[in-house]
Amino acid sequence: MASCGFDTLLYGLREAVCAAAESLEARRQALRHDDETHALHAWVPVSPEADAALEPVVIPLRMFRDKRRPHIAVMSIEFEGRFLLRQERGSSKPRLVIEIGKRRFRWLSRTGMHHVRIAYRSADAWQPCVEVDGRFVDLPSVAMAGNGS
């Protein structure tokens, strides 16, 4: 069973999807270069004979470019978890913590498991859309700014 602050989980997931989108964009930019370093270099036999001479072939990577401009539009994750309020040392307010996974002795637990769905859309500037047991949760914009640590 894993346990972490809910705001930390939301922030970490948002950073991961933003990094994936940036990586895809960097790959697209690399495919647009026309120089020799961004090319596929291969040696191809001149004839089908076993000892045929080889000639170099250079194919620019821009030839492999996807003209549809792929991008990440949505990332969604669903899991079962348990929400708890925990008081941390040095803090005056309790922190919302989520435990993911099953406890060893479920019958000792008083709180039930919830079905959590978190979705990030590029159209919404990667702000999370949280749904718990089929109900949307309205999160304050301050919670999206950082990990609360």
Side-chain angles (χ1 to χ4, degrees):
M1 171 177 54
S3 177
C4 73
F6 191 60
D7 56 344
T8 304
L9 176 67
L10 292 177
Y11 182 76
L13 290 173
R14 181 172 187 236
E15 288 297 310
V17 72
C18 287
E22 289 172 6
S23 175
L24 187 60
E25 181 64 27
R27 181 179 178 276
R28 277 190 44 248
Q29 292 299 328
L31 290 176
R32 290 184 177 199
H33 290 275
D34 289 335
D35 59 357
E36 290 274 326
T37 59
H38 292 92
L40 175 65
H41 298 272
W43 291 88
V44 180
V46 177
S47 65
E49 299 166 2
D51 58 347
L54 300 174
E55 77 176 26
V57 175
V58 178
I59 303 171
L61 287 181
R62 62 181 161 75
M63 298 288 290
F64 300 105
R65 184 178 69 195
D66 190 352
K67 295 183 179 10
R68 295 173 297 173
R69 190 174 179 184
H71 67 282
I72 298 173
V74 177
M75 184 199 72
S76 178
I77 183 170
E78 293 186 39
F79 56 90
E80 300 291 321
R82 176 179 290 108
F83 290 97
L84 304 167
L85 282 175
R86 286 201 182 139
Q87 187 74 30
E88 294 182 349
R89 290 185 201 186
S91 176
S92 60
K93 292 190 256 182
R95 185 173 185 195
L96 182 63
V97 173
I98 186 162
E99 290 182 347
I100 302 168
K102 296 180 181 174
R103 285 191 171 174
R104 191 170 190 181
F105 302 108
R106 290 186 303 186
W107 49 271
L108 282 175
S109 174
R110 293 182 184 194
T111 59
M113 298 290 278
H114 296 283
H115 183 80
V116 181
R117 180 178 183 270
I118 304 171
Y120 295 86
R121 294 176 11 146
S122 64
D124 296 335
W126 303 115
Q127 295 301 315
C129 175
V130 179
E131 188 177 318
V132 178
D133 294 333
R135 292 185 221 133
F136 288 100
V137 177
D138 188 24
L139 298 171
S141 60
V142 174
M144 301 322 128
N147 64 1
S149 299

